[in-house]
Amino acid sequence: MDSKKQAPAKYYVGIDVGSASVRAALVDEFGTVMAHADQPIQIWEPQPDHYEQSSADIWAACCSVTKKVVSGVDASQIRGVGFDATCSLVVVDKQFQPLAVNCEGQSYRNVIMWMDHRAVSQVERINATQHRVLSYVGGVMSVEMQPPKLLWIKENLQESCWEKAGYFFDLPDFLSWKATGVTARSLCTVVCKWMYTSDGGWDDSFWKMIGLEDLVKDKYEKIGNHVLSPGESVGKGLTPEAAKDLGLPEGIAVAASLIDAHAGGLGVIGADVKGHNLPCENQPITSRVAVICGTSSCHMGVSETPIFVPGVWGPYFSAMVPGLWLNEGGQSATGQLIDHVVRGHVAFPELQSKAAASAHSIYTYLNSHLDLIKKSLPVGFLTVDLHVWPDFHGNRSPLTDLTLKGMVVGLTLSRGLDELALIYLATIQAIALGTRHILETMQAAGHHINTLFLCGGLSKNPLFVQMHADITGKPVVLSKEVESVLVGAAILGACASGDFTSIQEAMAKMGKIGRVVQPNREHKRFYDKKYEVFLKLVEHQREYRSIMNSF
């Protein structure tokens, strides 16, 4: 845990549940992170594409990190608590006890993670219905959303789970229930992952058409029939039991939660940019896109009117910023992909050893090594003959094809650290090229985007940031606080406390710009050519698959 001096009058606690860890921060009314702590959580992978977690393990970690960040703080100064989490599916029985989401019957493993792809058959059948609600997810539902997972449970765990289930929660909503005892759902989760429409609510015909009519019969009690806007106060605040667990006084305001990426968007997209010579200055917030980049990446753009973007989720009304429509692009594996490529390389032990000897992280060392081998070339030009298609875990946006695979073109027999550094660079470039693909699709549909706001773990990597600026041709804004997701969660708590009149007011006051990274315009032609190759890669993959499918 690290702390900063200064003791302002009002504090808020932001709690963020990521894929592999839980983090908490104590944040003041100006958006400064005063204390921060994190703790790993367990992931089970019982078989390929099945990823599970434990809600008890997650809650225990939430309690542990929260106690650390509020230690020694006058409790009367802590005004509100906000949660965000991955959009994983939590299953409990009618007494709120965990139910196994696996064939092994391990009830403590009661969470199907967001990145779980077990429901491929189910999502294909749902998409084949072409139901009108699918227009709100770019025309094609992702296997990472909740309806296909629910259908998988019904078809594969009918007796052991489906019939015993009392409640199906999105993880952010499970946390607000755990804190308050209220089963209300956030508009963010149900609109973005459950096909609740902000203008019409639940659509009975959709659930009946896909074979989940059971959920309609009890007036949607199992998946939520009380919906709150993000940042709205839930119930009467912390229950006595939750307050004791978290080390906070009972009754403190608890906010309706957000999905983690949306909290990141909230933490950065509304920041005051005056004086930074950015194209979005004096422009509406609709000229900005927040890119939240961690294990996966999400691209959040808002608009005043609904924009339907093929292959991009949304438009969702008020799902992140109240009063605005949200479109959400995404890449299913980014940080996870970089780790996979680097750690799987034969030269990784050498990298590990040299990085440790220099007291640097492996990625800082790789960035330095690229500077050594570039000679007179710009670093990015080292991959003129090396190209990566990054969809090792399928394509979320804008192609919405989870069957796509990763590709690497330009390999040699070399096995050393130079080659590891090059494939690392090519992978980062491929992720940035994927971002460009998403942005161009959004712009073709009607968005007007001129500035990127990056946050999340990968935004701490200067090479990752510069490649996104150079390849998209847009300036990248980094937050003063690197933990923007936690600031976003704290903004929710601040709104629930009543200290701010609106989310927008809190965003402007608590979101702060740190650094601006400009694109190198001299490199534009090179990256335009890389982008041409990038698009050719997927064409070729589809061609050779077509050939093999005719066998």
Side-chain angles (χ1 to χ4, degrees), residues 154-341:
K154 182 176 180 180
E155 293 177 349
N156 292 273
L157 303 172
Q158 174 95 30
E159 293 183 9
S160 63
C161 184
W162 184 258
E163 291 177 358
K164 294 179 181 178
Y167 301 91
F168 299 100
F169 287 104
D170 218 272
L171 182 53
D173 295 323
F174 170 83
L175 297 172
S176 60
W177 164 75
K178 194 75 176 168
T180 65
V182 175
T183 61
R185 305 310 205 270
S186 166
L187 184 67
C188 174
T189 60
V190 294
V191 164
C192 295
K193 305 301 173 187
W194 297 74
M195 307 311 296
Y196 184 95
T197 59
S198 35
D199 52 355
W202 297 119
D203 188 318
D204 294 359
S205 66
F206 169 71
W207 297 98
K208 291 174 180 176
M209 185 177 284
I210 68 170
L212 293 177
E213 61 284 344
D214 327 37
L215 300 175
V216 180
K217 290 176 185 173
D218 63 2
K219 297 181 180 178
Y220 298 101
E221 183 182 3
K222 289 184 178 181
I223 60 173
N225 49 25
H226 180 203
V227 178
L228 300 174
S229 294
E232 196 173 339
S233 185
V234 181
K236 297 179 180 178
L238 282 181
T239 64
E241 182 181 2
K244 183 179 178 183
D245 286 348
L246 294 164
L248 293 168
E250 67 177 273
I252 284 179
V254 175
S257 53
L258 280 173
I259 297 165
D260 54 352
H262 300 65
L266 208 64
V268 297
I269 203 169
D272 184 352
V273 299
K274 286 186 178 65
H276 290 270
N277 195 30
L278 286 163
C280 64
E281 187 174 346
N282 300 319
Q283 296 290 314
I285 194 175
T286 54
S287 64
R288 310 175 182 189
V289 159
V291 184
I292 299 84
C293 34
T295 304
S296 61
S297 291
C298 295
H299 306 70
M300 321 293 268
V302 292
S303 57
E304 293 178 356
T305 57
I307 299 175
F308 291 85
V309 185
V312 173
W313 298 343
Y316 305 131
F317 186 66
S318 291
M320 184 173 77
V321 181
L324 294 177
W325 293 85
L326 171 70
N327 283 107
E328 179 186 350
Q331 295 161 293
S332 290
T334 50
Q336 184 184 26
L337 174 60
I338 295 168
D339 262 4
H340 173 77
V341 168

Side-chain angles (χ1 to χ4, degrees), residues 460-473:
K460 301 172 190 176
N461 184 334
L463 180 66
F464 185 90
V465 174
Q466 189 64 60
M467 287 299 105
H468 273 72
D470 289 352
I471 287 170
T472 64

